[in-house]
Amino acid sequence: MTDLLRDALERLFASQASPAQVRAIEDGGDAGPLWAAIEEGGFGHALVPESADGAGLALADVFPTLMAAGAQALPVPLGLTMLARALLAEAGEDVPEGAITIATDPDAAWRCAGLPYARTASWALLACPDGFALAPMGDVAPDAGQDRLSGDVAFAKPARRVANPTDLRAMAASVLAAQMAGALVRVFEDTIRFANERVQFGKPIGKFQAIQQQLSVMAEQVFAARMAAELAFSGPGLRPDPLRAAIAKARAGEAAVRACATAHAVHGAMGITEEFDLQLLTRRLHGWRLGYGADGYWHARVGQAALAETSGGTLDFIRTRLMY
Amino acid sequence: MLAPLPLTRIPPEDEALRAPVKAFLAETVAALPASRRVRSWMGFDAEFSRKLGAQGWLGLTLPKAYGGAARSPFARFVLVEELLAVGAPVAAHWIADRQSGPLILKYGTEAQKQFYLPRICKGEAFFCIGMSEPNSGSDLASVRSRATKTAKGWRLNGRKIWTTNAFRSHYMIALVRTSGAPEDRHKGLSQIIIDLALPGITVRPIRDLALDTHFSEVFFDEVELADDALIGAEGQGWEQVTAELAFERSGPERLYSSIVLLDSWLDHLRQTGERSQAAALGRLIGALASLRAMSIAIMARLAAGESPVVEAALVKDLGTELEQEIPILIADALGSHPERPIPAQLLAALTYVTQVAPSFSLRGGTREILRGMIARGLGLR
Ligand SMILES: Cc1cc2nc3c(=O)[nH]c(=O)nc-3n(C[C@H](O)[C@H](O)[C@H](O)COP(=O)(O)OP(=O)(O)OC[C@H]3O[C@@H](n4cnc5c(N)ncnc54)[C@H](O)[C@@H]3O)c2cc1C
C-alpha cells in the first residue's frame, strides 16, 4: 500500500512536477493544474479516516510519499495538507478542497510572517491557544524565502475555532523533516552519479580519496537523517510525537547543512548555476531547515524534556520517550 | 547504492531481559564512582565477568549445548547497552563474548567448540585479538608474524602490538602468515588460537596517556603450538577476520563510550537547575537516539544472517564522532562558568574521556579506513 501510493505519486510528478514545472511555479506560475492532479489521485486525503471518505492510512504509511515529495522539490504543501485534513476530519469539521498550509505563529491581528507555501496554498490551518482554525488564504506579500513560495499573509479573523489542543509546530516540523530526508537522499544519489561521471586529471573525481571520504560522510548524514525522520512517523495516531518530531527536524537540519555543502563542493561551478537542478533541492533544504523551528529550537525542546525528568540516564530517556 | 536501514523494534521477549539486567547492575555497579565507570568497556574486573557468567549472561547468543543461552542478537543488544550505560567493567570477557566465541562457533571444529565455548560462557576463558603489529596497523594484510608447519603442529615467531588485555587474557586469536610471503597480501593468512601460558611468549604491558594499562606488546619466540591451534581453514584468515570485524564494529559500544560522562553531566545539570545548556544536551541526545535506531536496524540484519559490513562502518564512524564530541561540548559548557567549580567526579570523568577520545576512531579500524569501506560500498572504488 505504502509503496503503491508513492509509486503513483512519482508517476504524477513525472508529468506534472518536472524540474521545469517546479521552476515555472516558483517564478509565479499557476500551481492549480498540479494540485488538481494531486486531488484527482486522492493523495491529500491519505490520512483522513475512511469514514470521512479518506484512505485511512497511518502516519508510517505516508512517510515514503512525503520523502518522494521532498525529493521532487514539490512546490505545493501535500504533506501539510494531509495532516491538516486529518485533524479537521478527526474534529468533525468540513474538509475543504484545496491545499492547506500550517501557520503556527499568527499574531493578534491574524497576520503571519514567512508562511511556508503561502503562494500555492488555498487555506491555512492557524494555531490558536486552545486549538486551531481554518482560514482561506489572505493577501500574500511574497518574502525572500528559499523556495520563492513563502510570504507574509494577513488573514481575516476566522469564523470558527476548533478547541483541540495540538502541537501544530511539531506536526508541521515532522512533515518538513520527511521532505528533507527525501531531498537528502536525492541530492546524495545525484552527487554520487556526478562524481562517477565528471572526469579531471584523467579519471572520475569519485576515484580521488578526498572526494570519497566526503561522500562517505554525506552517506552517514543522509542515513541518520532518514532514520530520525522515520522515527517521527512511527507512532500511533495522527499527531507525530513532539519529541520524536524534534529529533527528526533537528537531525535533518544538521544533515542538510553538511550534505548541501558537500554536494555543492563536489559539483563545482556547475552546481551553482540556475540551470542545473541541484539548486532546486539545496535551496529547499536550507529553507526547510529554517521552517517551523531550526535545529537549535528543537534541540532545546529535547534537552528541556530530559532535564525535566528527575531520574534516569540518557539511555532510559531515549528508550522511553524517543523510541516507539 | 546502499539500501535504507528500516526502523526496527526490539522484540518484546528480548526487551524483557532489560529489567533483570537493570536490577543486577543497580546492585553490582551503580554505586561505583563515575571516575571508575567512565572507563566503559576498558574497565577490567574478572570477578564481575564471572558474576555475569553465573547469571547466564555471557555467550548469550551461543547454543545451549556449549553453555550459551541461545538468545537472539537483540537480547545481547539489550544486555550490552545496559552494561555500557552504567559503565560496568566488562573488559575481561568483552572480546571473548563479542567476537571470539561467535568466531569459534562459526569456524571451529567440534572439539574446539567443546573446549573453549563453555569456559567463555562461565567467564573462565578471556580472549584478546592479535591483529596489529608494529609495521601493520591499517594495512593489516601486511602482517609478518608467521606460523610454520611442524610434525606436531605449528611453530610461531613474530610480534603483536596494541593487543588489549593480552597480559590478563588466557588466549589470543591471532592473524598470522602460514604460507607465502608478505607480498602475497590476503593470501596465505590464517587465524590461530594461542594459549598465552605457553613457553616462548613474552607479554609487555603498555601504559596509556591516562595512566591505565590495557594494551600490550606480545613477542613470540619459537612457540610450539599443537595442530589444533589453527581455527578455520588454513589460508582463509583474511575472510574470517573480515567477518569478525562486522561483529566488532556494529555493536552499541561504538555509540556509548562517553555515555557515563554524558549522564554525569545530565545529573549535574538537574541538580544545579542549570537550564541554559538544554539545546546542547538535546543535540547529543537526539544524535544518540538516531544512532541507536540505526544500530538496532543493523542488529536486525545480523540476526537475519547477513553481514552488513558497510552499514556497520557507517554507524561506527558516525557513532565515534558523537562519542568524541561529547567531552568537547561538556568541557565548553562547564568552562562557560569559570567562577563555578566543577564537581570532582564529573571532572575526573571529563578528563579521562577527553584523554582517550582519540582512540575511539582508531580502535576497530580508523576513521579514514572506515570511510574508504563506505566509499567502496557506494561503488566509488
Ligand atoms: C585503545 C586501542 C586498543 C586497541 N586494541 C587492539 C587489539 O586488541 N588488537 C589489535 O590487533 N589491535 C588493537 N588496536 C590497534 C588498532 O587496530 C590500530 O590502532 C588501527 O588499526 C590503526 O593502526 P595504527 O595505529 O598503526 O595507525 P596507522 O595505520 O599507522 O594509521 C595512522 C593514520 O594514517 C591513516 N591511514 C593509514 N592508511 C591510510 C589510507 N590507506 N588512507 C588514508 N589514511 C590512512 C589512518 O587513518 C590514521 O589516521 C588498538 C588500538 C587502540 C587505540
Side-chain angles (χ1 to χ4, degrees):
Chain A
M1 181 67 212
T2 311
D3 293 343
L4 284 180
L5 189 72
R6 184 201 49 212
D7 294 348
L9 192 67
E10 281 178 344
R11 275 196 300 280
L12 185 158
F13 288 162
S15 65
Q16 297 289 333
S18 67
Q21 287 160 318
V22 171
R23 282 184 176 80
I25 291 171
E26 287 190 342
D27 287 345
D30 183 10
L34 169 59
W35 188 257
I38 289 174
E39 287 289 23
E40 204 172 304
F43 298 106
H45 264 56
L47 291 172
V48 171
E50 281 171 313
S51 57
D53 296 331
L57 297 182
L59 277 179
D61 298 326
V62 300
F63 179 66
T65 309
L66 301 195
M67 276 186 65
Q72 199 69 18
L74 191 69
V76 291
L78 173 58
L80 295 178
T81 302
M82 281 183 188
L83 279 170
R85 285 185 178 176
L87 279 185
L88 290 167
E90 184 195 55
E93 297 287 301
D94 287 342
V95 177
E97 294 239 319
I100 309 175
T101 186
I102 291 182
T104 49
D105 300 279
D107 69 12
W110 301 99
R111 280 186 310 248
C112 293
L115 180 63
Y117 301 101
R119 278 191 37 226
T120 54
S122 307
W123 304 87
L125 199 66
L126 301 166
C128 310
D130 58 345
F132 46 80
L134 185 70
M137 190 54 62
D139 288 334
V140 180
D143 68 6
Q146 289 281 5
D147 60 5
R148 299 168 193 155
L149 303 172
S150 57
D152 301 338
V153 185
F155 289 96
K157 182 171 190 252
R160 281 172 62 73
R161 290 198 207 177
V162 181
N164 186 335
T166 300
D167 193 338
L168 280 189
R169 196 190 309 282
M171 291 183 82
S174 328
V175 170
L176 292 197
Q179 294 179 182
M180 291 172 83
L184 282 165
V185 171
R186 179 65 58 81
V187 167
F188 176 57
E189 289 168 354
D190 290 350
T191 305
I192 297 275
R193 189 175 328 107
F194 186 88
N196 279 323
E197 284 167 3
R198 170 72 175 167
V199 173
Q200 286 291 282
F201 298 98
K203 52 183 173 182
I205 56 171
K207 295 285 170 211
F208 294 110
Q209 195 186 39
I211 299 284
Q212 291 173 354
Q213 300 259 316
Q214 291 193 55
L215 291 173
S216 300
V217 172
M218 190 174 175
E220 296 168 4
Q221 293 297 318
V222 173
F223 266 70
R226 176 167 52 192
M227 186 51 90
E230 199 177 343
L231 262 181
F233 282 79
S234 66
L238 294 170
R239 292 169 173 72
D241 173 77
L243 284 182
R244 287 200 292 274
I247 287 184
K249 185 62 173 39
R251 194 66 192 80
E254 289 189 330
V257 174
R258 295 177 70 173
C260 288
T262 301
H264 276 293
V266 170
H267 278 88
M270 181 61 82
I272 301 291
T273 62
E274 194 281 332
E275 182 193 348
F276 201 78
D277 290 340
L278 178 65
Q279 53 95 359
L280 292 176
L281 290 172
T282 55
R283 271 193 291 120
R284 272 178 179 70
L285 281 165
H286 283 293
W288 290 338
R289 173 175 181 241
L290 213 53
Y292 302 116
D295 327 349
Y297 169 82
W298 291 108
H299 285 148
R301 287 211 21 193
V302 174
Q304 281 151 6
L307 289 172
E309 309 253 303
T310 47
S311 66
T314 41
L315 175 58
D316 296 319
F317 181 75
I318 287 171
R319 279 196 308 105
T320 55
R321 303 286 306 275
L322 303 181
M323 297 279 171
Y324 171 66
Chain B
M1 198 56 61
L2 302 172
L5 292 168
L7 193 59
T8 311
R9 290 176 89 170
I10 296 177
E13 66 272 21
D14 298 320
E15 191 59 50
L17 184 58
R18 197 178 300 275
V21 170
K22 268 180 172 302
F24 173 81
L25 293 175
E27 251 172 50
T28 48
V29 181
L32 296 176
S35 56
R36 179 113 193 266
R37 293 183 292 109
V38 74
R39 280 167 169 70
S40 180
W41 48 292
M42 299 301 279
F44 191 102
D45 181 345
E47 199 43 49
F48 177 76
S49 293
R50 279 183 208 111
K51 275 189 210 159
L52 277 185
Q55 294 288 325
W57 292 341
L58 295 186
L60 205 60
T61 60
L62 298 179
K64 290 192 172 148
Y66 304 114
R71 301 285 305 254
S72 87
F74 289 107
R76 184 169 182 276
F77 186 97
V78 168
L79 169 69
V80 166
E81 78 169 348
E82 289 298 335
L83 287 168
L84 294 169
V86 292
V90 292
H93 68 268
W94 191 249
I95 303 296
D97 181 73
R98 178 180 71 185
Q99 62 199 85
S100 314
L103 177 96
I104 292 168
L105 180 71
K106 187 158 179 205
Y107 298 108
T109 62
E110 187 52 39
Q112 285 172 324
K113 292 184 213 177
Q114 299 277 5
F115 183 74
Y116 294 108
L117 297 183
R119 284 191 295 145
I120 287 178
C121 295
K122 285 192 204 120
E124 289 169 3
F126 302 147
F127 279 69
C128 57
I129 312 168
M131 294 192 194
S132 306
E133 296 182 3
N135 291 315
S136 303
S138 298
D139 184 12
L140 184 58
S142 68
V143 290
R144 285 168 180 276
S145 293
R146 177 181 280 275
T148 348
K149 200 80 195 77
T150 62
K152 285 179 291 177
W154 302 90
R155 182 172 303 127
L156 175 65
N157 278 292
R159 190 173 161 192
K160 293 287 173 185
I161 195 167
W162 314 128
T163 322
T164 300
N165 292 326
F167 58 95
R168 43 194 175 186
S169 296
H170 305 97
Y171 302 100
M172 172 193 285
I173 297 188
L175 180 70
V176 300
R177 185 155 286 290
T178 45
S179 64
E183 302 76 66
D184 292 326
R185 308 278 306 163
H186 306 142
K187 282 183 286 180
L189 299 176
S190 305
Q191 285 189 296
I192 50 171
I193 307 186
I194 304 160
D195 180 342
L196 292 170
L198 288 174
I201 300 178
T202 315
V203 181
R204 185 176 70 86
I206 303 173
R207 198 151 69 149
D208 79 3
L209 77 180
L211 306 182
D212 284 356
T213 303
H214 43 83
F215 45 30
S216 1
E217 193 165 15
V218 185
F219 302 85
F220 304 108
D221 181 18
E222 302 281 293
V223 180
E224 297 293 341
L225 301 171
D227 231 356
D228 63 3
L230 184 73
I231 173 96
E234 204 262 292
Q236 287 299 303
W238 187 258
E239 288 70 22
Q240 292 176 201
V241 158
T242 308
E244 188 181 346
L245 284 171
F247 280 97
E248 179 172 344
R249 289 189 179 130
S250 57
E253 69 269 30
R254 304 303 180 178
L255 324 176
Y256 293 138
S257 298
S258 305
I259 196 169
V260 172
L261 170 61
L262 180 58
D263 282 350
S264 304
W265 184 54
L266 173 64
D267 281 343
H268 172 70
L269 294 177
R270 281 176 181 158
Q271 278 161 22
T272 54
E274 159 88 61
R275 290 291 180 270
S276 66
Q277 297 296 331
L281 175 68
R283 172 157 175 274
L284 297 177
I285 293 177
L288 196 54
S290 333
L291 270 162
R292 178 176 185 265
M294 294 168 85
S295 189
I296 294 172
I298 290 185
M299 207 50 52
R301 294 260 173 93
L302 280 172
E306 297 171 40
S307 187
V309 178
V310 177
E311 292 82 352
L314 192 146
V315 172
K316 179 187 180 252
D317 190 32
L318 212 46
T320 52
E321 181 183 317
L322 174 68
E323 291 178 338
Q324 290 173 339
E325 268 176 34
I326 288 173
I328 295 172
L329 195 144
I330 292 177
D332 191 26
L334 293 171
S336 301
H337 293 285
E339 76 286 2
R340 295 183 201 159
I342 303 172
Q345 282 296 316
L346 182 56
L347 179 63
L350 175 64
T351 298
Y352 173 79
V353 177
T354 305
Q355 287 171 354
V356 300
S359 72
F360 301 165
S361 57
L362 295 173
R363 60 187 186 189
T366 72
R367 173 160 288 146
E368 289 70 27
I369 296 301
L370 293 176
R371 289 181 181 173
M373 293 174 56
I374 298 167
R376 184 170 292 122
L378 295 173
L380 292 166
R381 353 179 0 209

